[in-house]
mmCIF file of all heavy atoms in Angstrom:
data_model
loop_
_atom_site.group_PDB
_atom_site.id
_atom_site.type_symbol
_atom_site.label_atom_id
_atom_site.label_comp_id
_atom_site.label_asym_id
_atom_site.label_seq_id
_atom_site.Cartn_x
_atom_site.Cartn_y
_atom_site.Cartn_z
ATOM 1 N N LYS A 645 24.311 -32.686 -1.981
ATOM 2 C CA LYS A 645 24.851 -32.027 -0.765
ATOM 3 C C LYS A 645 23.850 -31.158 -0.144
ATOM 4 O O LYS A 645 23.650 -31.136 1.076
ATOM 5 C CB LYS A 645 26.091 -31.199 -1.153
ATOM 6 C CG LYS A 645 27.357 -32.052 -1.252
ATOM 7 C CD LYS A 645 28.557 -31.177 -1.353
ATOM 8 C CE LYS A 645 29.839 -31.990 -1.463
ATOM 9 N NZ LYS A 645 31.034 -31.200 -1.798
ATOM 10 N N ILE A 646 23.173 -30.276 -0.985
ATOM 11 C CA ILE A 646 22.235 -29.296 -0.432
ATOM 12 C C ILE A 646 21.051 -30.072 0.126
ATOM 13 O O ILE A 646 20.469 -29.739 1.172
ATOM 14 C CB ILE A 646 21.830 -28.258 -1.471
ATOM 15 C CG1 ILE A 646 23.045 -27.464 -1.948
ATOM 16 C CG2 ILE A 646 20.753 -27.314 -0.894
ATOM 17 C CD1 ILE A 646 22.807 -26.525 -3.093
ATOM 18 N N ALA A 647 20.612 -31.127 -0.595
ATOM 19 C CA ALA A 647 19.451 -31.885 -0.184
ATOM 20 C C ALA A 647 19.604 -32.487 1.216
ATOM 21 O O ALA A 647 18.786 -32.481 2.091
ATOM 22 C CB ALA A 647 19.122 -32.989 -1.196
ATOM 23 N N ALA A 648 20.812 -33.069 1.408
ATOM 24 C CA ALA A 648 21.143 -33.661 2.705
ATOM 25 C C ALA A 648 21.184 -32.638 3.775
ATOM 26 O O ALA A 648 20.649 -32.908 4.877
ATOM 27 C CB ALA A 648 22.570 -34.382 2.599
ATOM 28 N N PHE A 649 21.711 -31.493 3.461
ATOM 29 C CA PHE A 649 21.782 -30.424 4.444
ATOM 30 C C PHE A 649 20.282 -29.981 4.869
ATOM 31 O O PHE A 649 20.035 -29.842 6.099
ATOM 32 C CB PHE A 649 22.543 -29.207 3.882
ATOM 33 C CG PHE A 649 22.578 -28.012 4.715
ATOM 34 C CD1 PHE A 649 23.347 -27.973 5.847
ATOM 35 C CD2 PHE A 649 21.754 -26.905 4.374
ATOM 36 C CE1 PHE A 649 23.361 -26.866 6.639
ATOM 37 C CE2 PHE A 649 21.820 -25.755 5.219
ATOM 38 C CZ PHE A 649 22.642 -25.835 6.341
ATOM 39 N N VAL A 650 19.440 -29.767 3.903
ATOM 40 C CA VAL A 650 18.100 -29.430 4.122
ATOM 41 C C VAL A 650 17.305 -30.378 4.918
ATOM 42 O O VAL A 650 16.694 -30.085 5.879
ATOM 43 C CB VAL A 650 17.344 -29.038 2.797
ATOM 44 C CG1 VAL A 650 15.816 -28.791 2.954
ATOM 45 C CG2 VAL A 650 17.987 -27.831 2.059
ATOM 46 N N GLU A 651 17.453 -31.667 4.506
ATOM 47 C CA GLU A 651 16.739 -32.753 5.241
ATOM 48 C C GLU A 651 17.234 -32.777 6.693
ATOM 49 O O GLU A 651 16.394 -32.853 7.593
ATOM 50 C CB GLU A 651 16.999 -34.055 4.610
ATOM 51 C CG GLU A 651 16.188 -34.230 3.312
ATOM 52 C CD GLU A 651 16.184 -35.735 2.860
ATOM 53 O OE1 GLU A 651 16.270 -36.656 3.626
ATOM 54 O OE2 GLU A 651 15.967 -35.873 1.668
ATOM 55 N N ASN A 652 18.422 -32.648 6.867
ATOM 56 C CA ASN A 652 19.016 -32.653 8.232
ATOM 57 C C ASN A 652 18.634 -31.498 9.096
ATOM 58 O O ASN A 652 18.304 -31.575 10.219
ATOM 59 C CB ASN A 652 20.573 -32.846 8.069
ATOM 60 C CG ASN A 652 21.222 -32.969 9.367
ATOM 61 O OD1 ASN A 652 21.506 -32.041 10.060
ATOM 62 N ND2 ASN A 652 21.375 -34.270 9.716
ATOM 63 N N LYS A 653 18.619 -30.371 8.471
ATOM 64 C CA LYS A 653 18.374 -29.079 9.236
ATOM 65 C C LYS A 653 16.925 -28.834 9.527
ATOM 66 O O LYS A 653 16.556 -28.541 10.574
ATOM 67 C CB LYS A 653 18.923 -27.918 8.331
ATOM 68 C CG LYS A 653 19.284 -26.700 8.983
ATOM 69 C CD LYS A 653 20.669 -26.820 9.637
ATOM 70 C CE LYS A 653 21.061 -25.494 10.245
ATOM 71 N NZ LYS A 653 22.214 -25.688 11.166
ATOM 72 N N VAL A 654 16.066 -29.098 8.485
ATOM 73 C CA VAL A 654 14.652 -28.725 8.735
ATOM 74 C C VAL A 654 13.655 -29.938 8.428
ATOM 75 O O VAL A 654 12.442 -29.735 8.520
ATOM 76 C CB VAL A 654 14.266 -27.505 7.940
ATOM 77 C CG1 VAL A 654 14.771 -26.217 8.510
ATOM 78 C CG2 VAL A 654 14.521 -27.618 6.448
ATOM 79 N N GLY A 655 14.187 -31.049 8.118
ATOM 80 C CA GLY A 655 13.329 -32.240 7.971
ATOM 81 C C GLY A 655 12.618 -32.355 6.625
ATOM 82 O O GLY A 655 11.937 -33.266 6.345
ATOM 83 N N ILE A 656 12.794 -31.367 5.725
ATOM 84 C CA ILE A 656 12.083 -31.337 4.448
ATOM 85 C C ILE A 656 12.693 -32.382 3.530
ATOM 86 O O ILE A 656 13.941 -32.311 3.221
ATOM 87 C CB ILE A 656 11.994 -29.968 3.825
ATOM 88 C CG1 ILE A 656 11.356 -28.970 4.791
ATOM 89 C CG2 ILE A 656 11.406 -29.995 2.498
ATOM 90 C CD1 ILE A 656 11.340 -27.521 4.311
ATOM 91 N N LYS A 657 11.885 -33.345 3.058
ATOM 92 C CA LYS A 657 12.389 -34.369 2.100
ATOM 93 C C LYS A 657 12.809 -33.824 0.803
ATOM 94 O O LYS A 657 12.093 -32.957 0.302
ATOM 95 C CB LYS A 657 11.280 -35.412 1.790
ATOM 96 C CG LYS A 657 10.939 -36.385 2.905
ATOM 97 C CD LYS A 657 9.835 -37.271 2.438
ATOM 98 C CE LYS A 657 8.504 -36.488 2.385
ATOM 99 N NZ LYS A 657 7.414 -37.028 1.745
ATOM 100 N N MET A 658 13.922 -34.254 0.333
ATOM 101 C CA MET A 658 14.418 -33.688 -0.922
ATOM 102 C C MET A 658 14.814 -34.826 -1.877
ATOM 103 O O MET A 658 15.974 -35.049 -2.150
ATOM 104 C CB MET A 658 15.673 -32.802 -0.621
ATOM 105 C CG MET A 658 15.353 -31.512 -0.070
ATOM 106 S SD MET A 658 14.855 -30.332 -1.382
ATOM 107 C CE MET A 658 13.627 -29.424 -0.513
ATOM 108 N N MET A 665 13.191 -27.822 -8.845
ATOM 109 C CA MET A 665 12.603 -26.859 -7.882
ATOM 110 C C MET A 665 13.791 -26.166 -7.106
ATOM 111 O O MET A 665 13.851 -24.904 -7.019
ATOM 112 C CB MET A 665 11.675 -27.601 -6.955
ATOM 113 C CG MET A 665 10.957 -26.755 -6.035
ATOM 114 S SD MET A 665 11.845 -26.525 -4.522
ATOM 115 C CE MET A 665 11.335 -27.885 -3.524
ATOM 116 N N MET A 666 14.780 -27.022 -6.646
ATOM 117 C CA MET A 666 15.830 -26.360 -5.896
ATOM 118 C C MET A 666 16.640 -25.465 -6.767
ATOM 119 O O MET A 666 16.992 -24.418 -6.360
ATOM 120 C CB MET A 666 16.740 -27.561 -5.310
ATOM 121 C CG MET A 666 17.850 -27.002 -4.497
ATOM 122 S SD MET A 666 19.053 -28.230 -3.974
ATOM 123 C CE MET A 666 18.146 -29.146 -2.797
ATOM 124 N N ARG A 669 14.727 -22.260 -7.131
ATOM 125 C CA ARG A 669 14.603 -21.437 -5.935
ATOM 126 C C ARG A 669 15.922 -20.786 -5.450
ATOM 127 O O ARG A 669 15.922 -19.796 -4.708
ATOM 128 C CB ARG A 669 13.988 -22.191 -4.795
ATOM 129 C CG ARG A 669 12.530 -22.484 -5.143
ATOM 130 C CD ARG A 669 11.756 -23.075 -4.009
ATOM 131 N NE ARG A 669 10.414 -23.360 -4.319
ATOM 132 C CZ ARG A 669 9.515 -23.936 -3.520
ATOM 133 N NH1 ARG A 669 9.898 -24.332 -2.359
ATOM 134 N NH2 ARG A 669 8.304 -24.211 -3.912
ATOM 135 N N LEU A 670 17.061 -21.458 -5.834
ATOM 136 C CA LEU A 670 18.325 -20.897 -5.351
ATOM 137 C C LEU A 670 18.965 -19.922 -6.250
ATOM 138 O O LEU A 670 20.013 -19.346 -5.982
ATOM 139 C CB LEU A 670 19.269 -22.109 -4.932
ATOM 140 C CG LEU A 670 18.879 -22.876 -3.749
ATOM 141 C CD1 LEU A 670 19.899 -24.022 -3.476
ATOM 142 C CD2 LEU A 670 18.834 -22.074 -2.506
ATOM 143 N N SER A 672 18.165 -16.993 -6.971
ATOM 144 C CA SER A 672 18.266 -15.607 -6.392
ATOM 145 C C SER A 672 19.318 -15.528 -5.409
ATOM 146 O O SER A 672 19.941 -14.506 -5.259
ATOM 147 C CB SER A 672 16.909 -15.289 -5.780
ATOM 148 O OG SER A 672 16.661 -16.236 -4.768
ATOM 149 N N ARG A 673 19.645 -16.627 -4.688
ATOM 150 C CA ARG A 673 20.757 -16.589 -3.806
ATOM 151 C C ARG A 673 22.150 -16.425 -4.468
ATOM 152 O O ARG A 673 22.938 -15.632 -4.003
ATOM 153 C CB ARG A 673 20.869 -17.859 -2.870
ATOM 154 C CG ARG A 673 19.667 -18.022 -1.820
ATOM 155 C CD ARG A 673 19.469 -16.894 -0.998
ATOM 156 N NE ARG A 673 20.690 -16.329 -0.397
ATOM 157 C CZ ARG A 673 21.025 -15.060 -0.243
ATOM 158 N NH1 ARG A 673 20.167 -14.084 -0.644
ATOM 159 N NH2 ARG A 673 22.029 -14.614 0.312
ATOM 160 N N TYR A 685 28.798 -22.036 -4.906
ATOM 161 C CA TYR A 685 27.797 -21.664 -3.933
ATOM 162 C C TYR A 685 27.839 -22.640 -2.692
ATOM 163 O O TYR A 685 27.900 -22.340 -1.563
ATOM 164 C CB TYR A 685 26.379 -21.635 -4.470
ATOM 165 C CG TYR A 685 25.339 -21.373 -3.450
ATOM 166 C CD1 TYR A 685 25.230 -20.136 -2.821
ATOM 167 C CD2 TYR A 685 24.392 -22.404 -3.118
ATOM 168 C CE1 TYR A 685 24.216 -19.909 -1.883
ATOM 169 C CE2 TYR A 685 23.389 -22.123 -2.163
ATOM 170 C CZ TYR A 685 23.319 -20.839 -1.491
ATOM 171 O OH TYR A 685 22.407 -20.604 -0.536
ATOM 172 N N VAL A 689 28.439 -21.983 1.142
ATOM 173 C CA VAL A 689 27.555 -22.289 2.183
ATOM 174 C C VAL A 689 28.223 -23.158 3.246
ATOM 175 O O VAL A 689 27.979 -22.976 4.494
ATOM 176 C CB VAL A 689 26.280 -23.091 1.730
ATOM 177 C CG1 VAL A 689 25.355 -23.517 2.797
ATOM 178 C CG2 VAL A 689 25.539 -22.266 0.678
ATOM 179 N N PHE A 690 29.023 -24.133 2.845
ATOM 180 C CA PHE A 690 29.604 -25.067 3.794
ATOM 181 C C PHE A 690 31.022 -24.688 4.268
ATOM 182 O O PHE A 690 31.769 -25.428 4.902
ATOM 183 C CB PHE A 690 29.610 -26.447 3.213
ATOM 184 C CG PHE A 690 28.235 -27.018 2.932
ATOM 185 C CD1 PHE A 690 27.872 -27.315 1.622
ATOM 186 C CD2 PHE A 690 27.196 -26.980 3.934
ATOM 187 C CE1 PHE A 690 26.591 -27.761 1.334
ATOM 188 C CE2 PHE A 690 25.984 -27.404 3.656
ATOM 189 C CZ PHE A 690 25.583 -27.767 2.353
ATOM 190 N N GLN A 694 31.389 -19.604 7.111
ATOM 191 C CA GLN A 694 29.966 -19.567 7.163
ATOM 192 C C GLN A 694 29.439 -20.313 8.308
ATOM 193 O O GLN A 694 28.214 -20.559 8.447
ATOM 194 C CB GLN A 694 29.375 -20.115 5.826
ATOM 195 C CG GLN A 694 29.094 -19.024 4.739
ATOM 196 C CD GLN A 694 28.049 -18.055 5.232
ATOM 197 O OE1 GLN A 694 26.990 -18.430 5.741
ATOM 198 N NE2 GLN A 694 28.391 -16.796 5.090
ATOM 199 N N ASN A 697 25.520 -19.137 10.882
ATOM 200 C CA ASN A 697 25.614 -19.419 9.509
ATOM 201 C C ASN A 697 24.516 -18.785 8.759
ATOM 202 O O ASN A 697 23.426 -19.290 8.499
ATOM 203 C CB ASN A 697 25.543 -20.983 9.387
ATOM 204 C CG ASN A 697 25.732 -21.418 7.982
ATOM 205 O OD1 ASN A 697 25.399 -20.746 7.064
ATOM 206 N ND2 ASN A 697 26.278 -22.633 7.858
ATOM 207 N N GLU A 698 24.730 -17.518 8.449
ATOM 208 C CA GLU A 698 23.718 -16.663 7.816
ATOM 209 C C GLU A 698 23.167 -17.238 6.565
ATOM 210 O O GLU A 698 21.926 -17.168 6.308
ATOM 211 C CB GLU A 698 24.329 -15.281 7.602
ATOM 212 C CG GLU A 698 23.303 -14.198 7.586
ATOM 213 C CD GLU A 698 24.004 -12.838 7.290
ATOM 214 O OE1 GLU A 698 25.032 -12.642 7.889
ATOM 215 O OE2 GLU A 698 23.432 -12.158 6.456
ATOM 216 N N GLU A 699 24.047 -17.749 5.704
ATOM 217 C CA GLU A 699 23.545 -18.207 4.431
ATOM 218 C C GLU A 699 22.691 -19.438 4.569
ATOM 219 O O GLU A 699 21.751 -19.603 3.762
ATOM 220 C CB GLU A 699 24.778 -18.492 3.475
ATOM 221 C CG GLU A 699 24.301 -18.862 2.066
ATOM 222 C CD GLU A 699 23.411 -17.891 1.372
ATOM 223 O OE1 GLU A 699 23.494 -16.701 1.585
ATOM 224 O OE2 GLU A 699 22.607 -18.340 0.498
ATOM 225 N N ALA A 700 22.969 -20.263 5.504
ATOM 226 C CA ALA A 700 22.077 -21.459 5.754
ATOM 227 C C ALA A 700 20.677 -20.960 5.967
ATOM 228 O O ALA A 700 19.736 -21.609 5.491
ATOM 229 C CB ALA A 700 22.592 -22.247 6.953
ATOM 230 N N ILE A 701 20.527 -19.964 6.742
ATOM 231 C CA ILE A 701 19.123 -19.419 7.018
ATOM 232 C C ILE A 701 18.481 -18.918 5.728
ATOM 233 O O ILE A 701 17.287 -19.263 5.489
ATOM 234 C CB ILE A 701 19.196 -18.322 8.071
ATOM 235 C CG1 ILE A 701 19.595 -18.859 9.480
ATOM 236 C CG2 ILE A 701 17.844 -17.540 8.233
ATOM 237 C CD1 ILE A 701 19.819 -17.856 10.535
ATOM 238 N N LEU A 702 19.309 -18.229 4.960
ATOM 239 C CA LEU A 702 18.618 -17.704 3.660
ATOM 240 C C LEU A 702 18.391 -18.852 2.641
ATOM 241 O O LEU A 702 17.467 -18.773 1.934
ATOM 242 C CB LEU A 702 19.655 -16.650 3.115
ATOM 243 C CG LEU A 702 19.855 -15.474 3.951
ATOM 244 C CD1 LEU A 702 20.999 -14.527 3.445
ATOM 245 C CD2 LEU A 702 18.579 -14.691 4.124
ATOM 246 N N LEU A 703 19.250 -19.894 2.705
ATOM 247 C CA LEU A 703 18.992 -21.104 1.848
ATOM 248 C C LEU A 703 17.722 -21.767 2.306
ATOM 249 O O LEU A 703 16.848 -22.065 1.404
ATOM 250 C CB LEU A 703 20.172 -22.017 2.021
ATOM 251 C CG LEU A 703 20.221 -23.304 1.121
ATOM 252 C CD1 LEU A 703 21.731 -23.676 1.035
ATOM 253 C CD2 LEU A 703 19.461 -24.454 1.630
ATOM 254 N N ILE A 704 17.433 -21.913 3.536
ATOM 255 C CA ILE A 704 16.231 -22.547 4.059
ATOM 256 C C ILE A 704 15.081 -21.588 3.634
ATOM 257 O O ILE A 704 14.002 -22.139 3.205
ATOM 258 C CB ILE A 704 16.323 -22.647 5.648
ATOM 259 C CG1 ILE A 704 17.446 -23.611 6.008
ATOM 260 C CG2 ILE A 704 14.910 -23.176 6.144
ATOM 261 C CD1 ILE A 704 17.481 -24.994 5.569
ATOM 262 N N ASP A 705 15.277 -20.317 3.798
ATOM 263 C CA ASP A 705 14.161 -19.342 3.407
ATOM 264 C C ASP A 705 13.757 -19.661 1.909
ATOM 265 O O ASP A 705 12.526 -19.582 1.617
ATOM 266 C CB ASP A 705 14.613 -17.971 3.558
ATOM 267 C CG ASP A 705 14.544 -17.389 4.978
ATOM 268 O OD1 ASP A 705 14.198 -18.196 5.787
ATOM 269 O OD2 ASP A 705 14.886 -16.261 5.151
ATOM 270 N N ALA A 706 14.756 -19.870 1.128
ATOM 271 C CA ALA A 706 14.562 -19.926 -0.349
ATOM 272 C C ALA A 706 13.862 -21.348 -0.656
ATOM 273 O O ALA A 706 13.105 -21.437 -1.581
ATOM 274 C CB ALA A 706 15.841 -19.779 -1.156
ATOM 275 N N ILE A 707 14.218 -22.382 0.068
ATOM 276 C CA ILE A 707 13.717 -23.707 -0.171
ATOM 277 C C ILE A 707 12.324 -23.947 0.313
ATOM 278 O O ILE A 707 11.602 -24.793 -0.272
ATOM 279 C CB ILE A 707 14.736 -24.828 0.442
ATOM 280 C CG1 ILE A 707 16.128 -24.737 -0.297
ATOM 281 C CG2 ILE A 707 14.178 -26.187 0.349
ATOM 282 C CD1 ILE A 707 16.030 -25.232 -1.804
ATOM 283 N N THR A 708 11.925 -23.360 1.456
ATOM 284 C CA THR A 708 10.620 -23.769 2.067
ATOM 285 C C THR A 708 9.447 -23.308 1.157
ATOM 286 O O THR A 708 9.528 -22.301 0.408
ATOM 287 C CB THR A 708 10.423 -23.082 3.450
ATOM 288 O OG1 THR A 708 10.631 -21.742 3.262
ATOM 289 C CG2 THR A 708 11.288 -23.762 4.452
ATOM 290 N N THR A 709 8.414 -24.129 1.138
ATOM 291 C CA THR A 709 7.207 -23.783 0.332
ATOM 292 C C THR A 709 6.266 -23.087 1.348
ATOM 293 O O THR A 709 5.918 -23.627 2.340
ATOM 294 C CB THR A 709 6.602 -25.103 -0.157
ATOM 295 O OG1 THR A 709 7.504 -25.669 -1.062
ATOM 296 C CG2 THR A 709 5.249 -24.809 -0.940
ATOM 297 N N ASN A 710 5.834 -21.866 0.977
ATOM 298 C CA ASN A 710 5.114 -21.018 1.992
ATOM 299 C C ASN A 710 3.730 -20.777 1.677
ATOM 300 O O ASN A 710 3.038 -19.888 2.108
ATOM 301 C CB ASN A 710 5.879 -19.702 2.240
ATOM 302 C CG ASN A 710 7.346 -19.928 2.517
ATOM 303 O OD1 ASN A 710 8.224 -19.498 1.708
ATOM 304 N ND2 ASN A 710 7.692 -20.611 3.510
ATOM 305 N N ASP A 780 7.478 -20.075 12.687
ATOM 306 C CA ASP A 780 7.934 -20.719 11.412
ATOM 307 C C ASP A 780 9.468 -20.738 11.395
ATOM 308 O O ASP A 780 10.123 -20.033 12.168
ATOM 309 C CB ASP A 780 7.405 -19.829 10.269
ATOM 310 C CG ASP A 780 7.375 -20.680 8.901
ATOM 311 O OD1 ASP A 780 8.419 -20.981 8.321
ATOM 312 O OD2 ASP A 780 6.272 -21.030 8.525
ATOM 313 N N VAL A 781 10.031 -21.619 10.586
ATOM 314 C CA VAL A 781 11.436 -21.735 10.525
ATOM 315 C C VAL A 781 11.979 -20.641 9.566
ATOM 316 O O VAL A 781 13.168 -20.301 9.685
ATOM 317 C CB VAL A 781 11.963 -23.156 10.082
ATOM 318 C CG1 VAL A 781 11.646 -23.405 8.613
ATOM 319 C CG2 VAL A 781 13.360 -23.410 10.420
ATOM 320 N N SER A 782 11.159 -20.122 8.657
ATOM 321 C CA SER A 782 11.668 -19.196 7.705
ATOM 322 C C SER A 782 11.535 -17.801 8.157
ATOM 323 O O SER A 782 10.475 -17.205 8.485
ATOM 324 C CB SER A 782 10.817 -19.336 6.418
ATOM 325 O OG SER A 782 10.978 -18.208 5.560
ATOM 326 N N THR A 783 12.740 -17.136 8.207
ATOM 327 C CA THR A 783 12.769 -15.720 8.694
ATOM 328 C C THR A 783 12.065 -14.756 7.727
ATOM 329 O O THR A 783 11.481 -13.795 8.130
ATOM 330 C CB THR A 783 14.193 -15.234 8.829
ATOM 331 O OG1 THR A 783 14.940 -15.413 7.638
ATOM 332 C CG2 THR A 783 14.896 -15.981 9.931
ATOM 333 N N LYS A 784 12.126 -15.130 6.425
ATOM 334 C CA LYS A 784 11.608 -14.240 5.395
ATOM 335 C C LYS A 784 10.055 -14.181 5.591
ATOM 336 O O LYS A 784 9.467 -13.065 5.581
ATOM 337 C CB LYS A 784 11.880 -14.837 4.009
ATOM 338 C CG LYS A 784 11.493 -13.937 2.872
ATOM 339 C CD LYS A 784 12.043 -14.483 1.537
ATOM 340 C CE LYS A 784 11.222 -15.709 1.178
ATOM 341 N NZ LYS A 784 11.628 -16.404 -0.004
ATOM 342 N N VAL A 785 9.365 -15.311 5.747
ATOM 343 C CA VAL A 785 7.889 -15.283 5.969
ATOM 344 C C VAL A 785 7.538 -14.650 7.233
ATOM 345 O O VAL A 785 6.466 -13.896 7.332
ATOM 346 C CB VAL A 785 7.251 -16.594 5.695
ATOM 347 C CG1 VAL A 785 7.264 -17.046 4.243
ATOM 348 C CG2 VAL A 785 7.733 -17.717 6.592
ATOM 349 N N LEU A 786 8.297 -14.825 8.285
ATOM 350 C CA LEU A 786 7.986 -14.251 9.575
ATOM 351 C C LEU A 786 8.043 -12.723 9.486
ATOM 352 O O LEU A 786 7.191 -12.015 10.108
ATOM 353 C CB LEU A 786 9.026 -14.738 10.586
ATOM 354 C CG LEU A 786 8.735 -16.145 11.186
ATOM 355 C CD1 LEU A 786 9.884 -16.538 12.145
ATOM 356 C CD2 LEU A 786 7.397 -16.251 11.962
ATOM 357 N N ARG A 836 10.701 -17.414 15.696
ATOM 358 C CA ARG A 836 11.301 -18.451 14.774
ATOM 359 C C ARG A 836 11.415 -19.697 15.551
ATOM 360 O O ARG A 836 11.840 -19.792 16.677
ATOM 361 C CB ARG A 836 12.643 -18.014 14.243
ATOM 362 C CG ARG A 836 13.261 -19.018 13.307
ATOM 363 C CD ARG A 836 14.414 -18.514 12.550
ATOM 364 N NE ARG A 836 14.814 -19.365 11.466
ATOM 365 C CZ ARG A 836 15.887 -20.118 11.427
ATOM 366 N NH1 ARG A 836 16.738 -20.081 12.510
ATOM 367 N NH2 ARG A 836 16.164 -20.925 10.423
ATOM 368 N N LEU A 837 10.958 -20.848 14.939
ATOM 369 C CA LEU A 837 11.028 -22.185 15.603
ATOM 370 C C LEU A 837 11.162 -23.215 14.578
ATOM 371 O O LEU A 837 10.450 -23.237 13.654
ATOM 372 C CB LEU A 837 9.736 -22.341 16.450
ATOM 373 C CG LEU A 837 9.683 -23.575 17.396
ATOM 374 C CD1 LEU A 837 8.780 -23.327 18.594
ATOM 375 C CD2 LEU A 837 9.254 -24.881 16.712
ATOM 376 N N ASN A 838 12.132 -24.112 14.848
ATOM 377 C CA ASN A 838 12.433 -25.238 13.882
ATOM 378 C C ASN A 838 11.925 -26.495 14.511
ATOM 379 O O ASN A 838 12.335 -26.787 15.616
ATOM 380 C CB ASN A 838 13.937 -25.314 13.635
ATOM 381 C CG ASN A 838 14.285 -26.386 12.655
ATOM 382 O OD1 ASN A 838 13.422 -27.199 12.264
ATOM 383 N ND2 ASN A 838 15.505 -26.376 12.274
ATOM 384 N N PHE A 839 10.983 -27.157 13.893
ATOM 385 C CA PHE A 839 10.441 -28.454 14.521
ATOM 386 C C PHE A 839 11.456 -29.514 14.662
ATOM 387 O O PHE A 839 11.192 -30.510 15.383
ATOM 388 C CB PHE A 839 9.286 -28.982 13.604
ATOM 389 C CG PHE A 839 8.127 -28.027 13.469
ATOM 390 C CD1 PHE A 839 7.455 -27.931 12.276
ATOM 391 C CD2 PHE A 839 7.737 -27.314 14.527
ATOM 392 C CE1 PHE A 839 6.342 -27.051 12.125
ATOM 393 C CE2 PHE A 839 6.638 -26.464 14.488
ATOM 394 C CZ PHE A 839 5.927 -26.354 13.267
ATOM 395 N N MET A 840 12.688 -29.359 14.023
ATOM 396 C CA MET A 840 13.762 -30.379 14.245
ATOM 397 C C MET A 840 14.444 -30.209 15.599
ATOM 398 O O MET A 840 15.191 -31.038 16.029
ATOM 399 C CB MET A 840 14.715 -30.359 13.093
ATOM 400 C CG MET A 840 14.157 -30.603 11.748
ATOM 401 S SD MET A 840 13.288 -32.225 11.696
ATOM 402 C CE MET A 840 11.555 -31.621 11.467
ATOM 403 N N ASP A 841 14.228 -29.035 16.232
ATOM 404 C CA ASP A 841 14.905 -28.771 17.524
ATOM 405 C C ASP A 841 14.431 -29.741 18.580
ATOM 406 O O ASP A 841 13.201 -30.022 18.583
ATOM 407 C CB ASP A 841 14.637 -27.367 18.033
ATOM 408 C CG ASP A 841 15.428 -26.329 17.111
ATOM 409 O OD1 ASP A 841 16.259 -26.741 16.290
ATOM 410 O OD2 ASP A 841 15.128 -25.124 17.246
ATOM 411 N N TYR A 861 5.714 -32.355 4.143
ATOM 412 C CA TYR A 861 7.112 -32.195 3.621
ATOM 413 C C TYR A 861 8.034 -33.093 4.328
ATOM 414 O O TYR A 861 9.291 -33.241 3.885
ATOM 415 C CB TYR A 861 7.594 -30.748 3.686
ATOM 416 C CG TYR A 861 6.718 -29.838 2.889
ATOM 417 C CD1 TYR A 861 5.746 -29.018 3.537
ATOM 418 C CD2 TYR A 861 6.696 -29.850 1.503
ATOM 419 C CE1 TYR A 861 4.895 -28.215 2.778
ATOM 420 C CE2 TYR A 861 5.850 -28.994 0.782
ATOM 421 C CZ TYR A 861 4.878 -28.224 1.436
ATOM 422 O OH TYR A 861 4.122 -27.448 0.670
ATOM 423 N N PHE A 862 7.682 -33.756 5.389
ATOM 424 C CA PHE A 862 8.609 -34.650 6.221
ATOM 425 C C PHE A 862 8.262 -36.118 5.981
ATOM 426 O O PHE A 862 7.218 -36.486 5.515
ATOM 427 C CB PHE A 862 8.352 -34.427 7.713
ATOM 428 C CG PHE A 862 8.516 -32.941 8.124
ATOM 429 C CD1 PHE A 862 7.938 -32.596 9.395
ATOM 430 C CD2 PHE A 862 9.154 -32.061 7.395
ATOM 431 C CE1 PHE A 862 8.071 -31.249 9.816
ATOM 432 C CE2 PHE A 862 9.357 -30.688 7.872
ATOM 433 C CZ PHE A 862 8.701 -30.282 9.089
#
Side-chain angles (χ1 to χ4, degrees):
K645 278 192 180 168
I646 300 174
F649 175 75
V650 169
E651 284 195 25
N652 186 274
K653 204 79 179 164
V654 285
I656 299 174
K657 283 177 293 172
M658 284 281 143
M665 182 271 273
M666 184 190 285
R669 291 190 180 174
L670 289 180
S672 61
R673 289 311 310 143
Y685 179 68
V689 177
F690 300 121
Q694 268 296 312
N697 185 331
E698 207 182 315
E699 185 54 30
I701 291 177
L702 298 172
L703 186 157
I704 300 298
D705 281 0
I707 292 293
T708 52
T709 298
N710 311 116
D780 203 285
V781 73
S782 162
T783 54
K784 189 175 71 189
V785 289
L786 282 173
R836 184 166 191 252
L837 188 151
N838 182 354
F839 297 142
M840 297 307 111
D841 290 349
Y861 299 104
F862 306 159

